[in-house]
Coordinates of all heavy atoms in Angstrom, one line a residue:
C1 N 97.4 94.3 67.0 CA 96.9 94.6 65.7 C 98.0 94.7 64.6 O 99.1 94.7 65.0 CB 96.0 95.8 65.8 SG 97.0 97.3 66.2
L2 N 97.5 94.8 63.5 CA 98.5 94.9 62.3 C 98.3 96.2 61.7 O 97.2 96.7 61.4 CB 98.2 93.8 61.3 CG 99.1 93.9 60.1 CD1 100.5 93.4 60.4 CD2 98.5 93.0 58.9
I3 N 99.4 97.1 61.5 CA 99.2 98.4 61.0 C 100.4 98.6 59.9 O 101.4 97.9 59.9 CB 99.4 99.5 62.1 CG1 100.8 99.5 62.7 CG2 98.4 99.4 63.1 CD1 101.1 100.6 63.6
N4 N 100.1 99.6 59.1 CA 101.2 100.1 58.2 C 102.2 100.9 59.0 O 101.8 101.6 60.0 CB 100.7 101.0 57.1 CG 99.8 100.2 56.1 OD1 100.2 99.0 55.8 ND2 98.7 100.8 55.7
I5 N 103.4 100.9 58.7 CA 104.5 101.6 59.4 C 104.1 103.1 59.5 O 104.4 103.8 60.5 CB 105.9 101.3 58.7 CG1 106.3 100.0 59.1 CG2 106.9 102.4 59.3 CD1 107.7 99.7 58.5
D6 N 103.5 103.6 58.4 CA 103.1 105.0 58.4 C 102.1 105.4 59.4 O 102.1 106.6 59.8 CB 102.6 105.4 57.0 CG 103.6 105.2 55.8 OD1 104.8 105.2 56.2 OD2 103.2 105.0 54.7
E7 N 101.4 104.5 59.9 CA 100.3 104.7 61.0 C 101.0 104.7 62.3 O 100.3 105.2 63.3 CB 99.2 103.6 61.0 CG 98.5 103.5 59.6 CD 97.5 102.4 59.6 OE1 96.6 102.4 60.5 OE2 97.7 101.4 58.9
F8 N 102.2 104.3 62.5 CA 102.7 104.2 63.9 C 102.9 105.6 64.5 O 102.7 105.7 65.8 CB 104.2 103.6 63.8 CG 104.9 103.6 65.1 CD1 104.6 102.7 66.1 CD2 105.9 104.5 65.4 CE1 105.2 102.7 67.3 CE2 106.5 104.5 66.6 CZ 106.2 103.6 67.5
E9 N 103.1 106.6 63.8 CA 103.3 107.9 64.3 C 102.1 108.4 65.1 O 102.2 109.0 66.1 CB 103.7 109.0 63.3 CG 104.1 110.3 63.8 CD 104.5 111.2 62.6 OE1 104.7 110.8 61.5 OE2 104.7 112.3 62.9
N10 N 100.9 108.0 64.5 CA 99.7 108.4 65.3 C 99.6 107.8 66.7 O 99.2 108.5 67.6 CB 98.5 107.9 64.4 CG 98.4 108.6 63.1 OD1 98.9 109.7 62.9 ND2 97.8 107.9 62.1
Y11 N 100.0 106.5 66.8 CA 100.0 105.9 68.1 C 101.0 106.5 69.0 O 100.9 106.7 70.3 CB 100.2 104.4 68.0 CG 99.1 103.6 67.4 CD1 99.1 103.4 66.0 CD2 98.1 103.1 68.2 CE1 98.0 102.7 65.4 CE2 97.0 102.4 67.6 CZ 97.0 102.2 66.2 OH 96.0 101.5 65.7
Q12 N 102.2 106.8 68.5 CA 103.3 107.4 69.2 C 102.9 108.8 69.8 O 103.2 109.1 71.0 CB 104.6 107.6 68.3 CG 105.8 108.0 69.1 CD 107.0 108.1 68.1 OE1 106.9 108.2 66.9 NE2 108.1 108.0 68.7
K13 N 102.1 109.5 69.0 CA 101.7 110.8 69.4 C 100.6 110.7 70.5 O 100.6 111.6 71.5 CB 101.1 111.7 68.3 CG 102.2 112.1 67.3 CD 101.5 112.9 66.2 CE 102.6 113.4 65.2 NZ 102.0 114.1 64.0
Q14 N 99.9 109.7 70.5 CA 98.7 109.5 71.4 C 99.2 109.0 72.8 O 98.7 109.4 73.8 CB 97.7 108.6 70.8 CG 96.4 108.4 71.6 CD 95.4 107.5 71.0 OE1 95.6 107.1 69.8 NE2 94.3 107.2 71.7
Y15 N 100.3 108.2 72.7 CA 100.8 107.6 73.9 C 102.3 108.0 74.2 O 103.2 107.2 74.1 CB 100.7 106.0 73.8 CG 99.4 105.5 73.8 CD1 98.8 105.2 72.5 CD2 98.5 105.3 74.9 CE1 97.4 104.7 72.4 CE2 97.2 104.8 74.8 CZ 96.7 104.6 73.5 OH 95.5 104.1 73.4
T16 N 102.4 109.4 74.4 CA 103.7 110.0 74.4 C 104.6 109.5 75.6 O 105.8 109.5 75.5 CB 103.7 111.5 74.5 OG1 102.8 111.8 75.6 CG2 103.0 112.0 73.2
D17 N 104.0 109.1 76.7 CA 104.7 108.7 77.9 C 105.0 107.1 77.9 O 105.4 106.6 78.9 CB 104.0 109.1 79.2 CG 102.6 108.5 79.3 OD1 102.0 108.1 78.2 OD2 102.2 108.4 80.3
Y18 N 104.7 106.4 76.8 CA 104.9 105.0 76.7 C 106.3 104.7 76.0 O 106.6 105.4 74.9 CB 103.8 104.4 75.9 CG 102.6 104.1 76.8 CD1 101.8 105.1 77.2 CD2 102.2 102.8 77.1 CE1 100.7 104.9 78.0 CE2 100.9 102.5 77.8 CZ 100.2 103.7 78.2 OH 99.1 103.4 79.0
E19 N 107.1 103.8 76.6 CA 108.3 103.3 76.0 C 108.1 102.5 74.8 O 107.1 101.8 74.8 CB 109.1 102.6 77.0 CG 110.5 102.2 76.4 CD 111.2 101.4 77.5 OE1 110.8 101.3 78.7 OE2 112.4 100.8 77.1
I20 N 108.9 102.7 73.8 CA 108.8 101.9 72.6 C 109.7 100.7 72.6 O 110.9 100.9 72.8 CB 108.9 102.7 71.3 CG1 107.9 103.8 71.2 CG2 108.9 101.9 70.0 CD1 108.2 104.9 70.2
V21 N 109.2 99.5 72.5 CA 110.1 98.3 72.6 C 109.8 97.4 71.4 O 108.9 97.5 70.7 CB 109.7 97.6 73.9 CG1 110.0 98.4 75.1 CG2 108.3 97.1 73.9
G22 N 110.7 96.5 71.2 CA 110.6 95.4 70.1 C 111.5 95.8 69.0 O 112.7 96.2 69.2
D23 N 111.0 95.6 67.8 CA 111.8 95.9 66.5 C 111.8 97.4 66.3 O 111.2 97.9 65.2 CB 111.3 95.2 65.4 CG 111.5 93.7 65.6 OD1 112.4 93.2 66.3 OD2 110.6 92.8 65.0
T24 N 112.3 98.2 67.2 CA 112.2 99.7 67.1 C 113.1 100.2 66.0 O 112.7 101.4 65.6 CB 112.7 100.3 68.4 OG1 114.1 99.8 68.7 CG2 111.8 99.9 69.7
H25 N 114.0 99.5 65.4 CA 114.7 100.1 64.3 C 113.9 100.4 63.1 O 114.2 101.2 62.3 CB 115.8 99.1 64.0 CG 115.3 97.8 63.3 ND1 114.8 96.8 64.1 CD2 115.2 97.4 62.0 CE1 114.4 95.8 63.3 NE2 114.6 96.1 62.0
L26 N 112.7 99.8 63.1 CA 111.8 99.9 62.0 C 111.2 101.3 62.0 O 110.7 101.8 60.9 CB 110.6 98.9 62.0 CG 111.1 97.4 61.8 CD1 110.0 96.5 62.0 CD2 111.7 97.3 60.4
V27 N 111.2 102.0 63.2 CA 110.6 103.3 63.3 C 111.6 104.3 63.6 O 111.4 105.4 64.2 CB 109.5 103.4 64.3 CG1 108.3 102.6 63.8 CG2 109.9 102.9 65.7
G28 N 112.9 103.9 63.4 CA 114.1 104.9 63.6 C 114.6 105.0 65.0 O 115.2 106.0 65.3
I29 N 114.3 104.1 65.9 CA 114.8 104.1 67.3 C 115.7 102.9 67.5 O 115.4 101.8 67.2 CB 113.5 104.0 68.2 CG1 112.6 105.2 68.0 CG2 114.0 104.0 69.7 CD1 111.2 105.2 68.7
P30 N 116.8 103.2 68.2 CA 117.8 102.1 68.5 C 117.1 101.0 69.4 O 116.3 101.3 70.3 CB 118.9 102.8 69.1 CG 118.8 104.3 68.7 CD 117.4 104.5 68.5
E31 N 117.5 99.8 69.1 CA 116.8 98.7 69.8 C 117.6 98.5 71.1 O 118.8 98.7 71.2 CB 116.9 97.4 68.9 CG 115.9 97.4 67.8 CD 115.9 96.0 67.1 OE1 116.3 95.1 67.7 OE2 115.5 96.0 65.9
K32 N 116.7 97.9 72.1 CA 117.3 97.6 73.4 C 116.9 96.2 73.6 O 115.7 95.8 73.6 CB 116.9 98.5 74.5 CG 117.3 100.0 74.4 CD 116.7 100.8 75.5 CE 117.1 102.2 75.5 NZ 116.5 103.0 76.6
E33 N 117.9 95.3 74.0 CA 117.5 93.9 74.3 C 116.9 93.9 75.7 O 117.3 94.5 76.6 CB 118.8 93.1 74.3 CG 118.5 91.6 74.4 CD 119.7 90.7 74.2 OE1 120.7 91.2 73.7 OE2 119.7 89.6 74.6
V34 N 115.8 93.1 75.7 CA 115.1 92.9 77.1 C 115.2 91.5 77.5 O 115.5 90.6 76.7 CB 113.6 93.3 76.8 CG1 113.4 94.7 76.4 CG2 112.9 92.4 75.8
D35 N 115.0 91.3 78.7 CA 115.0 89.9 79.4 C 113.7 89.3 79.1 O 112.7 89.4 79.9 CB 115.4 90.0 80.8 CG 115.6 88.7 81.5 OD1 115.3 87.6 80.8 OD2 115.9 88.6 82.7
L36 N 113.5 88.6 78.0 CA 112.3 88.0 77.6 C 111.8 86.9 78.5 O 110.7 86.8 78.8 CB 112.3 87.5 76.1 CG 112.3 88.6 75.0 CD1 112.7 88.0 73.6 CD2 110.9 89.2 75.0
A37 N 112.8 86.1 79.0 CA 112.4 85.0 79.8 C 111.7 85.5 81.1 O 110.7 85.0 81.5 CB 113.7 84.1 80.2
N38 N 112.3 86.6 81.6 CA 111.8 87.1 82.9 C 110.4 87.7 82.6 O 109.4 87.6 83.4 CB 112.7 88.1 83.5 CG 112.2 88.8 84.7 OD1 111.9 88.0 85.7 ND2 112.1 90.0 84.7
H39 N 110.3 88.5 81.5 CA 109.0 89.1 81.1 C 107.9 88.1 80.9 O 106.8 88.2 81.5 CB 109.2 89.9 79.8 CG 109.9 91.1 80.0 ND1 109.9 92.0 79.0 CD2 110.5 91.7 81.0 CE1 110.6 93.1 79.3 NE2 111.0 92.9 80.6
I40 N 108.3 86.9 80.2 CA 107.3 85.9 80.0 C 106.8 85.2 81.2 O 105.6 85.0 81.4 CB 107.8 84.9 79.0 CG1 108.0 85.6 77.6 CG2 106.9 83.7 78.7 CD1 109.0 84.8 76.6
Y41 N 107.8 84.9 82.1 CA 107.5 84.3 83.3 C 106.6 85.1 84.3 O 105.6 84.7 84.8 CB 108.7 83.8 84.0 CG 108.5 83.1 85.4 CD1 108.0 81.8 85.4 CD2 108.7 83.8 86.6 CE1 107.7 81.1 86.6 CE2 108.3 83.1 87.8 CZ 107.9 81.8 87.8 OH 107.6 81.2 89.0

């Protein structure tokens, strides 16, 4: 889905035990590169 950045905190509070991945710098979290090829396959 598409959300405003301000709405992200609501999802973060609801799914506290979920890791945040992707363009995490947008929500103040350092980014970690993932093995996309392996994930996709």
